[in-house]
């Protein structure tokens, strides 16, 4: 069935009635002499609420696709969007003294004021254009009945004393470690946004179609919001928070990044949805409502830039907090069966350690390796392979697999027989059958035993054979990381003894992303 078409006079009467409160606020806004008079949270909150309600009504009747009403709907969307972003910017401005933010090489307060001037200016122009369009549409323009004392904001200085009793929670230390870890994970996952933060203006167009899109920013915004909620639920008001000043610093950075991302999401939404779309009657307006270049500048040089700066400067704070709050332990696990710590297992261990953000050390004998860095773990193979070579040499000697009287026999045939004998122990794995040898032997001088050992160890170095050795390593660090390393080791570090990829346990699926 085709939907019923509403008559123009019927729709006009509905909008005329339902828009009166918003138009009253718009009249008040248009009459303000300065942008500063518009930037009051009570007024912005009322504008946002009324514009949101009117937008839902206009969309209910598909006004955005109607030539008579699409321009009015577009202006209403601008009022909704920029009253929202202005409210967020004012929140940031007023909350700055309480955020306890770490120093950066930019004037954040000045940048916030400049962005507020931009968004407030759009609201004033949008108010003027909405009144002009209301006249074109024949809507009744009300005399403003807005009481100035209800939409202005005079804030006396100071704060109330913190005299509530501190809450005691036994799990605060663990939750702080989780929050610091989650912040570091979000820092890693926002690398594209942080790259955009240092982009040059000529590179903006690339980021606006990729890293700095509304969808991605909104997802990141919600995750920082969840982080703030977790802090307020489990840490805020506790004795631990009062004793550790870094906690409020962390909370400030979580919160400011959340609100900056919200402004970025709103700017990106307007850029993608409205900036380049011209409604049917838009040409009748005196000037474009929003200057696209300035909108992009606010998105990139305010929302994205300061998001990147405040995430970056809080990373070291989180690492320091993990040292204090993470429970430290050790775990012994076997080395990867296939070629030790080669690329795949080393990368998985590194990703695992970085996921939690805490320090993790791997110990092998008297050597220590930074488990967060794959290249460090590769180094351990030198020691592992030396142990494998030593084992094979001892086996060849102790099992008397080589006699000097065999010197006249085919040398490579002798090497093959030695490898097959070692394979019978169940500890030597052959990855190539039949074995292929280089044209020249590894060693021409020395005894037959020395030459065979040299050839067998070269096969090991070339990866044609391997030793399934019972070598264990010890990991030391955050017990949460250790639990996942234990799980990873039990799963063969993601591969079987022949190096084939195998599924990871469900808990470790994040390592495959």
């Amino acid at each position: 069935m085709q939907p019923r078409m509403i008559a123009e006079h019927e729709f006009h009467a509905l909008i005329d009635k339902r828009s009166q409160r918003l138009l009253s606020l718009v009249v008040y806004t248009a009459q303000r002499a300065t942008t500063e008079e518009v930037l009051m949270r009570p007024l912005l909150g009322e504008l946002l609420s009324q514009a949101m309600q009117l937008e839902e009504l206009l969309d209910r009747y598909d006004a955005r696709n109607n030539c008579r009403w699409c321009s009015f709907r577009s202006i209403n969307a601008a009022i909704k969007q920029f009253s929202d972003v202005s409210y967020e910017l004012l929140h940031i401005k007023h909350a700055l003294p309480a955020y306890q933010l770490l120093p950066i090489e930019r004037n954040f307060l000045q940048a916030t004021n400049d962005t507020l001037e931009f968004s407030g200016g759009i609201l004033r122009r949008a108010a003027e254009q909405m009144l002009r369009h209301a006249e074109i549409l024949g809507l009744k323009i009300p005399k403003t009945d807005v009481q100035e004392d209800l939409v202005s904001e005079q804030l006396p200085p100071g704060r109330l004393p913190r005299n509530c009793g501190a809450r005691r929670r036994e799990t605060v230390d663990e939750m702080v470690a989780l929050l610091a870890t989650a912040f570091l994970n979000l820092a890693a996952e926002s690398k594209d946004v942080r790259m955009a933060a240092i982009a040059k203006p000529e590179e903006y167009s690339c980021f606006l179609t990729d890293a700095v899109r509304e969808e991605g920013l909104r997802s990141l915004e919600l995750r920082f919001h969840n982080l703030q909620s977790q802090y307020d639920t489990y840490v805020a008001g506790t004795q631990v928070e009062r004793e550790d000043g870094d906690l409020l610093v962390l909370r400030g950075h979580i919160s400011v990044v959340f609100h900056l991302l919200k402004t970025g999401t709103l700017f990106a939404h307007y850029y993608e949805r409205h900036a380049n779309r011209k409604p049917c009657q838009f040409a009748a307006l005196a000037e474009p409502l929003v200057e696209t270049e300035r909108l992009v500048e606010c998105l990139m040089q305010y929302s994205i830039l300061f998001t990147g700066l405040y995430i970056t400067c809080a990373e070291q704070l989180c690492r320091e907090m993990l040292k204090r709050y993470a429970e430290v332990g050790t775990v012994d696990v076997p080395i990867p069966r296939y070629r030790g710590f080669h690329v795949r297992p080393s990368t998985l261990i590194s990703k695992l350690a970085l996921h939690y953000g805490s320090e993790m050390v791997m110990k092998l004998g008297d050597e220590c390796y930074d488990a967060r860095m794959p290249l460090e773990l590769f180094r351990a193979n030198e020691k592992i392979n030396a142990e494998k070579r030593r084992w094979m040499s001892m086996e060849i000697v102790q099992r008397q697999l080589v006699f000097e009287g065999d010197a006249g026999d085919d040398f490579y045939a002798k090497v093959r027989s030695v490898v097959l004998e070692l394979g019978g122990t169940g500890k030597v794995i052959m990855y190539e059958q039949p074995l292929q040898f280089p044209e020249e032997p590894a060693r021409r001088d020395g005894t037959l035993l020395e030459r065979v050992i040299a050839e067998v160890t070269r096969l090991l170095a070339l990866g044609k054979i391997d030793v399934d050795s019972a070598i264990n390593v010890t990991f030391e660090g955050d017990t949460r990381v250790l639990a996942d390393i234990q799980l990873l080791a039990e799963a063969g570090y993601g591969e079987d003894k022949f190096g084939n990829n195998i599924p990871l346990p469900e808990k470790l699926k994040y390592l495959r992303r």
Side-chain angles (χ1 to χ4, degrees):
M1 293 180 60
Q2 290 292 326
R4 173 185 179 271
M5 295 294 108
I6 188 171
E8 173 60 29
H9 73 276
E10 189 179 358
F11 182 69
H12 182 280
L14 174 65
I15 299 301
D16 191 46
K17 177 181 178 182
R18 292 285 294 274
S19 65
Q20 288 303 295
R21 178 57 181 163
L22 176 60
L23 289 174
S24 178
L25 292 164
V26 163
V27 169
Y28 178 86
T29 301
Q31 291 174 347
R32 298 310 94 196
T34 65
T35 301
E36 187 178 0
E37 294 176 78
V38 174
L39 297 172
M40 300 289 174
R41 282 180 292 186
L43 175 59
L44 295 172
E46 279 288 296
L47 283 169
L48 175 60
S49 173
Q50 294 301 320
M52 187 182 301
Q53 293 177 57
L54 187 59
E55 181 178 270
E56 290 179 356
L57 184 62
L58 290 166
D59 287 351
R60 162 67 176 76
Y61 292 94
D62 202 20
R64 74 172 72 200
N65 294 310
N66 180 272
C67 283
R68 178 167 173 77
W69 290 94
C70 62
S71 293
F72 185 75
R73 195 273 183 200
S74 178
I75 299 169
N76 183 78
I79 291 175
K80 172 193 165 188
Q81 206 74 5
F82 286 94
S83 58
D84 197 358
V85 77
S86 297
Y87 199 100
E88 286 297 316
L89 290 164
L90 280 176
H91 173 88
I92 292 171
K93 179 178 179 178
H94 289 300
L96 271 179
Y99 277 162
Q100 301 185 29
L101 300 175
L102 295 169
I104 56 174
E105 295 180 356
R106 300 279 182 144
N107 190 332
F108 184 42
L109 178 59
Q110 184 59 54
T112 303
N113 285 331
D114 291 345
T115 311
L116 270 167
E117 185 67 26
F118 166 71
S119 62
I122 290 173
L123 282 175
R124 292 176 68 196
R125 290 197 297 277
E128 293 168 358
Q129 290 188 7
M130 176 168 272
L131 292 177
R132 197 176 314 153
H133 264 272
E135 290 178 355
I136 293 172
L137 293 167
L139 299 176
K140 182 170 59 180
I141 307 297
K143 293 183 178 179
T144 181
D145 60 353
V146 176
Q147 297 181 39
E148 187 162 349
D149 61 328
L150 296 180
V151 294
S152 62
E153 190 172 37
Q154 301 298 325
L155 299 175
R159 304 187 74 183
L160 291 170
R162 289 193 167 199
N163 50 20
C164 286
R167 294 184 296 137
R168 293 186 178 274
R169 299 186 72 98
E170 295 178 0
T171 59
V172 168
D173 287 9
E174 181 181 351
M175 179 51 64
V176 172
L178 288 170
L179 290 171
T181 297
F183 189 98
L184 290 171
N185 288 336
L186 286 176
E189 292 173 27
S190 60
K191 62 181 180 180
D192 291 341
V193 172
R194 294 163 72 186
M195 285 293 293
I198 58 175
K200 297 176 182 178
E202 58 267 27
E203 300 171 323
Y204 287 170
S205 58
C206 295
F207 286 101
L208 288 168
T209 58
D210 187 15
V212 186
R213 288 184 59 83
E214 178 190 1
E215 179 185 5
L217 293 178
R218 190 181 305 282
S219 175
L220 203 55
E221 168 204 332
L222 290 173
R223 296 179 71 181
F224 272 98
H225 194 185
N226 288 339
L227 202 57
Q228 177 181 284
S229 297
Q230 284 183 300
Y231 182 101
D232 291 346
T233 301
Y234 298 104
V235 180
T238 63
Q239 189 64 35
V240 173
E241 184 189 50
R242 294 190 179 185
E243 293 170 354
D244 186 347
D246 283 349
L247 286 170
L248 286 175
V249 178
L250 173 61
R251 205 290 186 175
H253 283 78
I254 293 171
S255 188
V256 77
V257 168
F258 157 55
H259 288 289
L260 281 167
L261 284 169
K262 187 167 184 181
T263 66
T265 301
L266 292 167
F267 284 138
H269 171 92
Y270 197 86
Y271 173 79
E272 294 173 24
R273 197 79 61 87
H274 303 284
N276 298 312
R277 180 176 179 177
K278 296 181 184 293
C280 300
Q281 297 183 28
F282 205 87
L285 300 177
E287 60 180 3
L289 185 52
V290 180
E291 183 186 350
T292 303
E293 185 177 343
R294 181 74 178 107
L295 175 68
V296 170
E297 188 178 290
C298 286
L299 169 59
M300 300 298 293
Q301 297 182 20
Y302 178 75
S303 301
I304 301 303
L305 172 63
F306 286 100
T307 291
L309 288 174
Y310 282 119
I311 287 177
T312 298
C313 71
E315 283 183 296
Q316 187 56 37
L317 172 71
C318 289
R319 293 191 183 99
E320 293 297 323
M321 293 178 73
L322 280 172
K323 291 178 183 178
R324 299 199 303 273
Y325 288 97
E327 183 183 347
V328 176
T330 62
V331 65
D332 291 335
V333 293
I335 65 169
R337 296 182 68 188
Y338 177 73
R339 297 184 182 177
F341 290 102
H342 67 101
V343 174
R344 185 184 292 146
S346 297
T347 301
L348 289 176
I349 292 170
S350 171
K351 288 178 71 174
L352 194 155
L354 292 172
H355 175 75
Y356 285 95
S358 53
E359 293 183 1
M360 181 59 53
V361 173
M362 185 183 80
K363 295 180 178 180
L364 176 58
D366 55 358
E367 292 284 335
C368 292
Y369 309 87
D370 187 344
R372 298 170 299 179
M373 303 173 62
L375 288 175
E376 274 281 287
L377 297 176
F378 296 165
R379 268 198 322 114
N381 276 341
E382 299 172 11
K383 200 174 186 71
I384 292 168
N385 289 333
E387 181 61 32
K388 290 179 177 180
R389 291 193 297 270
R390 185 162 44 250
W391 178 86
M392 286 197 302
S393 300
M394 289 178 60
E395 283 291 302
I396 292 170
V397 171
Q398 291 176 359
R399 293 164 65 90
Q400 298 181 350
L401 300 180
V402 177
F403 295 96
E404 291 304 316
D406 299 333
D409 297 341
D410 181 350
F411 174 69
Y412 285 129
K414 184 61 184 175
V415 174
R416 284 192 184 92
S417 71
V418 168
V419 172
L420 289 172
E421 285 283 344
L422 293 173
T425 66
K427 295 191 66 173
V428 172
I429 304 166
M430 295 178 63
Y431 296 126
E432 182 181 85
Q433 293 192 46
L435 285 171
Q436 301 295 317
F437 297 93
E439 292 184 7
E440 294 293 324
R443 181 173 177 176
R444 286 188 172 276
D445 59 345
T447 66
L448 179 61
L449 175 63
E450 290 170 340
R451 290 166 57 208
V452 169
I453 289 174
E455 199 64 43
V456 171
T457 55
R458 180 165 69 169
L459 291 172
L460 175 69
L462 292 172
K464 297 188 177 188
I465 65 173
D466 200 4
V467 177
D468 189 5
S469 57
I471 299 175
N472 276 19
V473 291
T474 300
F475 285 93
E476 181 177 283
D478 187 339
T479 53
R480 297 170 303 152
V481 188
L482 297 178
D484 281 5
I485 288 178
Q486 178 86 56
L487 201 56
L488 181 64
E490 290 171 357
Y493 297 89
E495 59 190 19
D496 62 20
K497 67 179 181 179
F498 296 104
N500 299 311
N501 219 350
I502 60 175
L504 290 174
E506 191 65 32
K507 187 175 185 295
L508 301 180
K509 286 296 177 65
Y510 67 87
L511 295 176
R512 292 296 193 200
R513 292 198 292 267

